[in-house]
């Protein structure tokens, strides 16, 4: 019997990569993608095989690292959450033009319904934009199997492959059958053409034509893919297209036995012939997609088609938010029942900063230092500290994208909002705050930057913070004046002192950086427990 | 056998540990499993929900449809009510009676109890207090698991073996403590139903 492991969708991808000749994974953490690299980071098997896990400074550096690994002939993976692909869009799209050498898979984990995100963008659009194949597993087993398949596809057409996984699959555990063989890693081998990766216009134009030329082949791969299935059934009053995880929700409603023809799509480009067949054979078409209505929109076109297409665009499925079995039942007119309602007395319980969190003390000091100024001048960013926007602190006024705390503070100061404060976490600062600070220094902008240095990437579970013990030097290195780099320790007993220091810097006309440094109590406790365990075992 | 279970609680209460024990018992019986977890933002003291589906037959969906859950296990009384639309008509709601108050507008606890009691098939168990009797605040979840046991569809041996598997790396004392906690929860629930 094949060996079975109980794995999260994320872990299935990681294990699939370990078993399929991966040499290195590059990642910046982000829910719901983090557990992919974490699994490899903690895997003894990966260590034995010398598979490297690199937590990168951001998603762009991660994808570039993976492209370099591929240049050297080895199989590489880069993982990120959906918005991470915005940051990495430049190397991602250009890697499709250069093409690759060793197999390259980029994993983007989408978060429909925004459980832990600023938006619910659908990464499939990026795949289409870049002209690369997309794999969208519907379950944990496919997530595992698709990695080897994806590496092979990648090396067959010398093309990066995008894998897209939604929260519900990323964070759901199920039995996964592990293959009986292990694919060895590639040897170091440079591209035959040493100009392959030189995107000078003359070369880029040729490479782009080549990319367009393989599109027909990629389409054929989709039409014949084992992950795309046309399931013929008798009742042609409806034809149903279900992509990725939506296929499971559909099957759940019929206990696996749908009376209508079903087209399951898990590989792109969209298998056009299969869609045409469904359209020709059925009276109306239902489209269920987790995410944006990508397939549905294309089907409808601008001119429209004569048969009804039912999905998110005409209210059969909600226009936004993640799918579930009940929504699909409703769309298809399958009766559902709820027996109980949520009682009226139930109130929301929003997330909060942990008791004793260093960010809390920093915000208390900042609020007091700013109390004589009008409200609305604190630009912030993404991390645990974003919770500082909620009561009781209500300390920050923005959270847009990683790094924007620094540059938005600059823009507002440029516009005349003085003082203008940027509050940013340590990991967010090294992700994309440093370049913005260089802008501030260049123009001697009147901004006060507060770096919340809790010495970890806390929001996503405590991954390393790459600027650890380097933040003051980084600021100094890019030109912040030394006497305006202040280090404070956010503790209740230091409150008055911290307020005084922040006030001083608010009054300074120029770039100042306050590094508020105290370790996240969750990582601190974890370290203490591990130390305790070690001592016990000695 | 097929069971769809919702686990509800507050981020940090470790709702996954209960799912993990039941999951281990299901794996031993070669059943199919889908178990969802919560990572990210809501882990910080917010409302969290996880689902566990186990079945002899293949399971398609990771999510449980509305009106489909056999059991809601609540580590916190208000949280156990938040997911009521998922409960089957004759489904069980088995909840910790001890509230976790980290919001200023937490409702009157008696109002919450009354809502839970409106569902005939319910058990309210003061798991934090029972855990104190065992001098451990770490076994609250195992106590609640004990109260849930009769509705899970496993034999006692199967569940106890899963508990042993779950805690064996922490030593025999911890295994024994959890077995005691399990029994305590189980016995309390029996008495709750037949006072
Ligand atoms: C482009 C992008 N990548 C990743 C994330 C996910 N993410 C949100 S916050 C965060 C960590 C922030 O760490 P830090 O700035 O140190 O703050 P902390 O959570 O430790 O307070 C990450 C990785 C994101 N929202 N956007
Ligand atoms: S995990 Fe750390 S940084 Fe995040 S809220 Fe808790 S103590 Fe603060």
């Amino acid at each position: 019997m094949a060996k079975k492991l109980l794995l999260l969708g994320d872990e299935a991808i990681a294990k699939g990569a370990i078993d399929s000749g991966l040499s290195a994974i590059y990642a910046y953490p982000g829910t719901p993608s983090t557990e992919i690299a974490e699994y490899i980071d903690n895997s003894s098997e990966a260590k034995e095989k010398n598979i490297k896990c690199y937590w990168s400074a951001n998603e762009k550096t991660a994808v570039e690292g993976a492209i370099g690994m591929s240049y050297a002939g080895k199989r590489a993976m880069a993982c990120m959450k959906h918005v991470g692909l915005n940051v990495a869009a430049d190397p991602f799209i250009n890697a499709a033009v250069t093409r690759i050498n060793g197999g390259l898979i980029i994993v983007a984990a989408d978060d429909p319904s925004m459980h832990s995100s600023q938006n619910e963008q659908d990464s499939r659009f990026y795949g289409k934009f870049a002209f690369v194949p997309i794999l969208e597993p519907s379950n944990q087993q496919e997530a595992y199997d698709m990695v080897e398949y994806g590496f092979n596809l990648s090396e067959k057409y010398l093309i990066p492959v995008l894998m897209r996984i939604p929260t519900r699959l990323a964070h759901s555990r199920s039995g996964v059958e592990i293959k009986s063989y292990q694919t060895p890693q590639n040897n170091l081998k440079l591209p035959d053409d040493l100009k392959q990766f030189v995107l000078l216009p003359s070369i880029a134009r040729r490479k782009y034509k080549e990319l367009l030329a393989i599109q027909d082949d990629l389409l054929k791969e989709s039409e014949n893919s084992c992950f795309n299935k046309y399931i013929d059934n008798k009742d042609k009053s409806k034809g149903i297209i279900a992509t990725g995880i939506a296929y499971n929700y559909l099957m759940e409603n019929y206990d696996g036995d749908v009376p209508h023809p079903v087209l399951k799509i898990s590989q792109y480009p969209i298998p056009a012939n299969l869609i045409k067949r469904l359209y020709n054979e059925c009276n109306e078409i239902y489209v269920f997609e987790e995410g944006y209505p990508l397939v549905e929109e294309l089907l409808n076109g601008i001119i429209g088609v004569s048969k009804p297409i039912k999905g998110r665009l005409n209210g059969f499925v909600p226009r936004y938010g993640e799918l579930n079995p009940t929504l699909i039942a409703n769309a298809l007119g399958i009766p559902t029942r709820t027996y109980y309602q949520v009682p009226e007395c139930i109130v929301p319980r929003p997330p909060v900063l942990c008791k004793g969190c260093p960010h809390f003390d920093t915000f208390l000091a900042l609020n007091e230092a700013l109390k004589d100024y009008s409200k609305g001048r604190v630009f912030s960013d993404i991390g645990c500290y974003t919770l500082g926007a909620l009561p009781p602190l209500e300390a920050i006024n923005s959270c847009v994208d990683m790094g924007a705390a620094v540059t938005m503070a600059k823009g507002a100061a440029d516009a005349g909002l003085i003082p203008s404060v940027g509050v940013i976490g340590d990991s967010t600062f090294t992700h994309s705050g440093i370049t913005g600070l260089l802008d501030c220094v260049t123009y001697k902008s009147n901004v006060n930057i507060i770096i919340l240095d809790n010495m970890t990437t806390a929001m996503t579970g405590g991954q390393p913070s790459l600027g650890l013990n380097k933040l003051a030097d980084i600021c100094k290195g890019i030109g912040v004046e030394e006497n305006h780099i202040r280090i404070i320790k956010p503790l209740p007993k230091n409150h008055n002192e911290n307020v005084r220091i922040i006030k001083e810097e608010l009054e300074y006309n120029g770039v100042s950086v306050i590094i508020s440094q105290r370790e996240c109590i969750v990582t601190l406790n974890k370290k203490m427990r591990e130390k305790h365990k070690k001592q016990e075992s000695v | 056998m097929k069971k769809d279970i919702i686990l509800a609680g507050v981020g940090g209460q470790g709702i996954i540990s209960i799912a993990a024990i039941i999951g281990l018992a299901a794996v031993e019986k070669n059943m199919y499993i889908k178990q969802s977890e919560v990572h990210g933002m809501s882990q910080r003291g917010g409302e969290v929900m996880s689902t566990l589906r186990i079945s002899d037959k293949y399971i398609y969906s990771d999510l449980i449809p509305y009106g489909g859950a056999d059991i809601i296990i609540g580590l916190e009384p208000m949280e156990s009510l938040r997911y009521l639309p998922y409960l089957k008509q004759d489904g069980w709601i088995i909840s910790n009676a001890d509230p976790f108050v980290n919001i200023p507008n937490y409702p009157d606890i008696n109002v919450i109890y009354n809502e839970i009691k409106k569902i005939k098939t319910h058990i309210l168990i003061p798991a934090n207090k029972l855990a104190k009797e065992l001098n451990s605040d770490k076994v609250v979840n195992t106590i609640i698991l004990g109260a849930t046991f009769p509705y899970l569809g496993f034999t006692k041996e199967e569940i106890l073996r899963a508990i042993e598997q779950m805690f064996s790396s922490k030593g025999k004392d911890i295994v024994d403590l959890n077995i005691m906690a399990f029994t305590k929860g189980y016995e309390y629930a029996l008495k709750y139903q037949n006072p």
Side-chain angles (χ1 to χ4, degrees):
Chain A
M1 209 173 85
K3 192 170 123 191
K4 249 187 170 184
L5 293 178
L6 202 54
L7 298 175
L8 294 177
D10 275 352
E11 295 172 344
I13 293 175
K15 176 67 177 145
I18 291 174
D19 294 347
S20 304
L22 179 80
S23 290
I25 182 166
Y26 296 80
Y28 184 74
T31 315
S33 72
T34 313
E35 292 73 22
I36 305 171
E38 239 166 23
Y39 184 90
I40 293 179
D41 204 10
N42 298 328
S43 155
S44 51
E45 195 187 0
K47 260 178 213 93
E48 276 160 30
K49 292 179 156 188
N50 200 23
I51 298 172
K52 295 290 197 308
C53 173
Y54 299 100
W55 291 109
S56 310
N58 64 37
E59 293 85 354
K60 180 172 180 287
T61 66
V63 169
E64 289 157 350
I67 296 173
M69 178 71 52
S70 161
Y71 174 94
K74 303 209 174 193
R75 289 186 165 184
M77 187 176 257
C79 300
M80 63 212 66
K81 69 182 290 164
H82 57 344
V83 288
L85 198 48
N86 299 336
V87 178
D90 206 7
F92 171 68
I93 287 169
N94 290 327
V97 183
T98 62
R99 317 278 286 282
I100 54 103
N101 187 21
L104 175 62
I105 297 180
I106 311 293
V107 186
D110 287 3
D111 191 19
S113 278
M114 306 178 231
H115 298 282
S116 294
S117 305
Q118 314 96 284
N119 74 28
E120 59 172 25
Q121 66 185 61
D122 184 331
S123 297
R124 292 177 304 167
F125 282 82
Y126 268 115
K128 189 166 147 39
F129 191 28
F131 299 103
V132 302
I134 308 165
L135 300 175
E136 189 190 13
S138 68
N139 60 34
Q140 292 80 354
Q141 185 67 52
E142 280 190 349
Y144 175 83
D145 296 337
M146 276 179 174
V147 178
E148 173 163 58
Y149 178 89
F151 275 134
N152 290 342
L153 186 68
S154 172
E155 287 175 359
K156 181 169 173 191
Y157 294 98
L158 303 179
I159 187 94
V161 168
L162 176 68
M163 206 162 156
R164 181 226 189 199
I165 179 170
T167 304
R168 294 301 180 176
L169 180 52
H171 289 164
S172 175
R173 214 172 267 287
S174 189
V176 174
E177 262 184 41
I178 303 304
K179 57 186 183 152
S180 56
Y181 58 93
Q182 299 278 313
T183 311
Q185 289 181 41
N186 293 347
N187 292 325
L188 192 71
K189 181 186 170 296
L190 298 194
D192 295 333
D193 171 10
L194 288 180
K195 292 205 177 65
Q196 181 190 330
F197 286 79
V198 186
L199 288 185
L200 270 170
S202 57
I203 301 174
R205 281 192 283 268
R206 175 171 56 81
K207 300 288 306 178
Y208 181 56
K209 270 190 223 152
E210 286 171 20
L211 173 63
L212 295 178
I214 62 165
Q215 293 305 307
D216 283 349
D217 290 333
L218 296 181
L219 180 62
K220 261 186 223 127
E221 290 283 346
S222 271
E223 302 276 7
N224 300 320
S225 166
C226 55
F227 297 111
N228 291 340
K229 262 194 310 205
Y230 191 100
I231 307 158
D232 202 9
N233 284 306
K234 279 208 192 78
D235 182 352
K236 317 257 185 215
S237 60
K238 296 183 173 90
I240 306 171
I241 297 172
T243 70
I245 198 170
Y247 175 73
N248 291 348
Y249 300 150
L250 172 70
M251 298 307 266
E252 174 79 21
N253 276 301
Y254 291 102
D255 226 352
D257 195 9
V258 186
H260 312 288
V262 174
L263 174 56
K264 167 186 182 287
I265 300 181
S266 280
Q267 180 175 338
Y268 306 72
I270 297 171
N273 284 326
L274 296 178
I275 291 194
K276 279 181 205 153
R277 178 176 165 200
L278 191 78
Y279 182 83
N280 289 335
E281 290 186 6
C282 302
N283 300 346
E284 53 180 22
I285 304 293
Y286 285 77
V287 192
F288 300 126
E289 305 175 77
E290 186 66 295
Y292 293 178
L294 172 88
V295 175
E296 189 186 342
E297 226 164 47
L298 281 170
L299 263 178
N300 273 305
I302 289 177
I303 311 296
V305 286
S306 54
K307 293 179 183 174
I309 311 287
K310 298 183 169 175
R312 287 195 189 265
L313 293 174
N314 42 21
F316 284 84
V317 182
R319 184 63 182 80
Y320 54 85
E322 65 181 357
L323 297 176
N324 62 46
T326 310
L327 288 178
I328 287 188
N330 293 343
L332 290 166
I334 300 169
T336 57
R337 277 206 64 181
T338 49
Y339 303 96
Y340 306 96
Q341 297 310 315
V342 182
E344 264 172 30
C345 61
I346 303 304
V347 292
R349 193 192 301 257
V352 286
L353 294 171
C354 304
K355 223 167 146 193
C357 172
H359 299 332
F360 191 82
D361 293 314
T362 308
F363 282 134
L364 282 186
L366 177 63
N367 278 351
E368 188 169 333
L370 280 169
K371 79 173 184 316
D372 295 332
Y373 298 97
S374 62
K375 287 201 177 302
R377 48 184 79 240
V378 182
F379 302 90
S380 193
D381 228 299
I382 310 183
C384 284
Y385 52 95
T386 314
L387 295 172
L390 305 177
L393 289 164
E394 299 186 296
I396 61 171
N397 308 106
S398 78
C399 159
V400 179
D401 69 284
M402 293 187 78
V406 177
T407 26
M408 279 180 71
K410 176 183 187 299
D414 293 346
L417 184 73
I418 309 291
S420 173
V421 182
V423 178
I424 186 167
D426 51 341
S427 179
T428 307
F429 178 69
T430 48
H431 178 287
S432 15
I434 299 175
T435 43
L437 188 59
L438 184 58
D439 282 353
C440 297
V441 169
T442 304
Y443 291 97
K444 298 193 169 50
S445 309
N446 191 353
V447 294
N448 310 99
I449 306 303
I450 300 182
I451 303 177
L452 302 171
D453 182 10
N454 60 355
M455 303 157 91
T456 185
T457 315
M459 178 85 264
T460 44
Q463 294 74 28
S465 176
L466 303 194
L468 187 67
N469 300 330
K470 297 190 188 89
L471 296 176
D473 285 343
I474 291 173
C475 296
K476 205 168 98 189
I478 59 178
V480 182
E481 287 171 44
E482 216 170 331
N483 52 340
H484 291 287
I485 301 173
R486 313 284 295 263
I487 297 177
I488 64 175
K489 186 163 192 180
L491 277 172
K493 65 170 189 196
N494 298 343
H495 179 75
N496 291 341
E497 166 85 357
N498 293 345
V499 172
R500 184 182 58 78
I501 293 174
I502 297 173
K503 273 187 166 165
E504 273 173 27
E505 294 306 329
L506 288 175
E507 275 154 31
Y508 170 64
N509 183 1
V511 182
S512 67
V513 176
I514 297 168
I515 301 172
S516 186
Q517 190 180 62
R518 176 157 73 82
E519 186 165 6
C520 155
I521 55 161
V522 172
T523 46
L524 184 69
N525 285 340
K526 198 157 58 178
K527 265 192 224 154
M528 303 279 254
R529 274 200 304 274
E530 271 155 24
K531 204 167 133 194
H532 189 70
K533 235 194 242 161
K534 253 193 218 139
Q535 275 170 350
E536 262 184 0
S537 61
V538 166
Chain B
M1 177 171 97
K2 172 170 178 288
K3 294 281 174 210
D4 286 341
I5 302 170
I6 301 239
L7 299 113
V10 179
Q13 283 189 314
I15 54 174
I16 299 303
S17 68
I18 295 185
I21 295 172
I22 305 171
L24 279 173
V27 167
E28 279 292 301
K29 288 183 81 169
N30 261 324
M31 297 175 79
Y32 290 97
I33 296 185
K34 291 248 180 181
Q35 182 217 316
S36 73
E37 296 183 1
V38 183
H39 298 258
M41 190 68 135
S42 30
Q43 273 176 299
R44 311 261 164 281
E47 57 205 46
V48 288
M49 184 259 249
S50 151
T51 58
L52 174 66
R53 313 191 74 190
I54 54 177
S55 174
D56 298 327
K57 287 203 318 193
Y58 184 79
I59 306 165
Y60 283 98
S61 169
D62 297 86
L63 296 175
I64 297 172
Y66 282 129
D70 298 284
I71 312 172
I72 292 178
I73 302 178
L75 297 197
E76 205 285 340
M78 178 170 77
E79 295 310 323
S80 70
L81 289 167
R82 197 183 296 281
Y83 307 99
L84 270 190
Y86 286 98
L87 195 63
K88 273 187 185 161
Q89 191 163 26
D90 56 353
W92 280 83
I93 173 164
I94 297 169
S95 177
N96 191 354
D98 295 322
F100 185 100
V101 182
N102 64 345
I103 45 172
N105 55 338
Y106 194 94
D108 177 354
I109 189 68
N110 289 313
V111 175
I112 301 265
Y113 290 158
N114 282 340
E115 289 292 342
I116 295 177
K117 285 175 186 163
K118 277 188 196 163
I119 290 152
K120 262 192 240 118
T121 41
H122 82 272
I123 294 170
L124 262 172
I125 173 167
N128 294 39
K129 282 183 206 89
L130 295 176
K132 268 201 197 94
E133 290 173 22
L134 293 174
N135 292 321
S136 165
D137 53 5
K138 298 227 170 78
V139 293
V140 173
N141 296 4
T142 315
I143 289 173
I144 295 171
L145 175 70
T148 317
F149 164 69
Y151 314 102
L152 294 176
F154 291 100
T155 67
K156 212 164 191 175
E157 289 68 42
E158 285 164 348
I159 288 285
L160 289 180
R161 212 176 310 137
I163 292 180
E164 214 176 305
Q165 243 179 304
M166 177 86 179
F167 295 104
S168 61
S169 67
K170 296 188 173 160
K172 188 173 178 310
D173 288 353
I174 300 292
V175 172
D176 290 346
L177 178 66
N178 276 282
I179 289 176
M180 256 156 64
F182 173 85
T183 312
K184 206 169 175 76
Y186 172 59
E187 284 171 355
Y188 184 93
L190 282 188
K191 256 193 250 142
Y192 187 87
Q193 287 168 280
N194 311 297

